[in-house]
Amino acid sequence: MTNQVEISLTQLAAFEDGTLDQCQALNITPLAWSPLGGGLLGDGAGDLLPSQKAYKPAPIIALP
């Protein structure tokens, strides 16, 4: 059994809201969706589909 969740440097909610904890407890394999923030962390942002252009990932905060 799998659960596709958005997991990336721009979306950390799955780490904080218990999603990954529940997957582990129920022996469900998490499948990372959009690990490069919809292409915004790689070279693919220019190749987004029109329906993906409204995607606004959370800002990345650099730690000192």
Side-chain angles (χ1 to χ4, degrees), residues 4-8 10-15 31-35 37-38 55 57:
Q4 188 175 17
V5 294
E6 187 171 8
I7 301 173
S8 73
T10 64
Q11 289 294 338
L12 300 176
F15 294 100
L31 175 64
W33 169 66
S34 192
Y55 177 72

Side-chain angles (χ1 to χ4, degrees), residues 33-45:
W33 169 66
S34 192
L36 294 178
L40 299 175
L41 298 176
D43 293 338

